[in-house]
Amino acid sequence: MQLPRIVACVVLGLRVCDAGVSSPAPTLKSAFAHAFRVGAALNPTQFFEENARAVQLITNQFNSISPENVLKWESVHPFPDQYNFVPSDHYVDFGRKYHMFIVGHNLVWHSQTPGWVFKSIFNFPVTREALLQRMHDHIMTVVGRYKGKIGGWDVVNEALNEDGTLRQTAWMQIIGPDYLVKAYQWAHEADPKAQLYYNDFSMENPPKRAGGVALIKMLQAHGIHIAAVGMQGHYRMDWPSTNDVNDTINAFAALGVKVMITELDVYNQNPADPHSLSLPETAQQALAARYADLFKVFLHHQKTLTRITFWGVSDGDSWLNSDLPNFPLLFDRQYQPKPAYEAVMALGRASKAPPPPVRYKSDRNF
Ligand code: G3I
């Protein structure tokens, strides 16, 4: 029995051209292919391929993946002499199987790092030299294991306070500010071809943005090649302004680095009933408008932005559900596209790759 063409196309994810020829329906990765990669942070159920619907959505829509938790120190290196590479190996294998750009997140952070890292015997603080050695060994082991497979690393994550000063983390207190320089030097040594990133949130606020700019300049002054700055993009409906997003991208681009939006979501609860697992149409449309405003800025900066990664695939996966249901992403709890997805896709389809520069025979470099 032959299915009517329109049913077959919906089921198979195809679109029918005028001539009756089928072509793949556009997805995030194809609609923005001329501009930047589009990625998602994955959890183990996804990269262990336990949920076929999620796998299909991820592989159709995204061309980059980030590990939500499995490459953080406490997951991958829980005890001094014990690494756990089972989940992270699956994560990397998943990315290679589906030909995706694979991100490493993260190497040096104050959070999700086990207490033993900063302790010596009898619970005394570890010495500077011993902590440098531990950081060195961790970076060489983890980055070295995925050399040539993980394309870029969030080397240091969230080193800044809101006022732009360096956070007084255990790394900072025990080693001093050169912990940053050492982390990037060793990551480069472990995989010279991997891109190295600095990743942080709220740099849209001018004081923290200034701190981010100073931090990148300091690393560059030490001869470190920062490929890109990751603006995490944990946004709200009313923060940050698109002007501040725009100004922040410009501030980093001026340093000669690329920029990525690395953990995008828009905090969004049901305003009428915060316990509800569904979102009213007005709130859906408001979220769609917010995402459209953000993607207009992103498209404007397509020469600077290399990747937009969502922090989760569907609303049900999001870290923002820890208290009450949240609706921050483009796909709902059934993995269906939301109005926000349609709004983003409309912009992607309408945007065009910038035309190649016109060259004349008289041009010197023709
Ligand atoms: O895996 C354990 C599980 O065994 C245990 O039963 C359960 C009980 O609470 O906890 C599980 O670990 C949780 C882990 O997520 C995995 O689900 C941790 O408690 C929880 O703290 C952890 O939260 C993560 C958070 O980082 C930790 O700081 C979120 O999933 C993750 O989305 C979030 O991601 C961060 C980025 O790495 C950096 N930028 C901010 C972003 C959002 O906070």
Side-chain angles (χ1 to χ4, degrees):
M1 190 190 78
Q2 202 176 358
L3 288 171
R5 179 183 288 153
I6 187 69
V7 175
C9 290
V10 171
V11 171
L12 299 173
L14 302 173
R15 123 183 116 179
V16 182
C17 304
D18 289 346
V21 178
S22 298
S23 65
T27 59
L28 290 167
K29 68 180 177 187
S30 64
F32 293 96
H34 62 280
F36 31 66
R37 289 192 176 98
V38 186
L42 304 190
N43 62 44
T45 63
Q46 295 161 342
F47 53 75
F48 277 84
E49 303 204 34
E50 289 165 8
N51 178 339
R53 206 189 316 179
V55 172
Q56 193 183 26
L57 182 84
I58 292 162
T59 53
N60 278 342
Q61 296 287 343
F62 301 106
N63 52 17
S64 173
I65 54 172
S66 299
E68 187 177 2
N69 285 300
V70 296
L71 271 168
K72 291 171 180 174
W73 194 311
E74 73 173 12
S75 304
V76 78
H77 190 181
F79 303 103
D81 298 316
Q82 191 182 317
Y83 286 84
N84 175 15
F85 288 119
V86 175
S88 51
D89 283 357
H90 271 82
Y91 162 74
V92 170
D93 289 347
F94 180 93
R96 286 168 66 77
K97 177 174 171 186
Y98 295 110
H99 312 290
M100 293 166 138
F101 184 85
I102 306 170
V103 178
H105 171 87
N106 55 59
L107 296 169
V108 177
W109 192 22
H110 59 277
S111 179
Q112 288 186 283
T113 305
W116 64 260
V117 174
F118 307 110
K119 296 276 163 61
S120 171
I121 44 165
F122 306 125
N123 260 355
F124 285 117
V126 71
T127 63
R128 170 184 152 90
E129 287 64 35
L131 186 55
L132 280 168
Q133 188 67 48
R134 284 177 189 176
M135 186 208 270
H136 170 268
D137 295 351
H138 178 83
I139 291 174
M140 298 309 282
T141 305
V142 177
V143 177
R145 183 176 185 89
Y146 300 115
K147 183 176 178 179
K149 296 179 178 174
I150 286 188
W153 281 94
D154 293 337
V155 177
V156 178
N157 196 43
E158 303 175 2
L160 293 165
N161 290 313
E162 288 304 298
D163 66 1
T165 58
L166 286 176
R167 266 182 209 260
Q168 287 300 314
T169 63
W171 297 109
M172 180 72 176
Q173 286 170 339
I174 299 170
I175 299 175
D178 60 332
Y179 87 88
L180 289 136
V181 175
K182 297 283 184 203
Y184 285 90
Q185 286 173 340
W186 288 327
H188 180 66
E189 195 181 321
D191 185 353
K193 290 194 179 147
Q195 297 179 351
L196 307 184
Y197 313 133
Y198 175 70
N199 193 51
D200 211 331
F201 60 90
S202 298
M203 293 188 292
E204 294 77 2
N205 294 336
K208 193 162 180 179
R209 182 192 314 156
V213 166
L215 191 156
I216 300 303
K217 282 184 173 170
M218 181 277 285
L219 291 170
Q220 290 175 330
H222 282 84
I224 288 158
H225 178 69
I226 298 292
V229 170
M231 294 166 57
Q232 291 186 3
H234 292 298
Y235 291 157
R236 293 186 166 254
M237 294 295 285
D238 59 357
W239 178 91
S241 70
T242 48
N243 275 346
D244 280 334
V245 175
N246 183 64
D247 291 351
T248 310
I249 297 170
N250 280 335
F252 290 119
L255 305 178
V257 299
K258 296 289 185 186
V259 177
M260 310 167 303
I261 309 297
T262 52
E263 304 185 12
L264 184 59
D265 48 28
V266 178
Y267 188 98
N268 191 32
Q269 287 179 345
N270 182 327
D273 174 6
H275 294 274
S276 168
L277 278 172
S278 68
L279 201 58
E281 187 56 23
T282 47
Q284 294 276 18
Q285 293 303 332
L287 182 70
R290 175 65 165 149
Y291 265 112
D293 286 346
L294 290 168
F295 269 78
K296 282 178 200 159
V297 179
F298 300 158
L299 281 167
H300 177 74
H301 288 283
Q302 59 186 270
K303 285 195 176 139
T304 299
L305 291 173
T306 56
R307 169 165 61 88
I308 310 293
T309 289
F310 292 86
W311 205 240
V313 178
S314 74
D315 283 344
D317 305 320
S318 171
W319 69 291
L320 293 171
N321 291 297
S322 58
D323 293 328
L324 290 166
N326 214 297
F327 306 86
L329 297 166
L330 301 189
F331 298 95
D332 69 17
R333 285 169 165 73
Q334 285 71 46
Y335 292 92
Q336 296 304 309
K338 295 160 58 177
Y341 172 84
E342 307 299 345
V344 165
M345 283 296 291
L347 287 169
R349 280 193 298 257
S351 74
K352 296 242 169 30
V358 179
R359 288 178 181 272
Y360 300 98
K361 283 197 172 164
S362 56
D363 282 0
R364 272 205 193 157
N365 299 324
F366 186 74

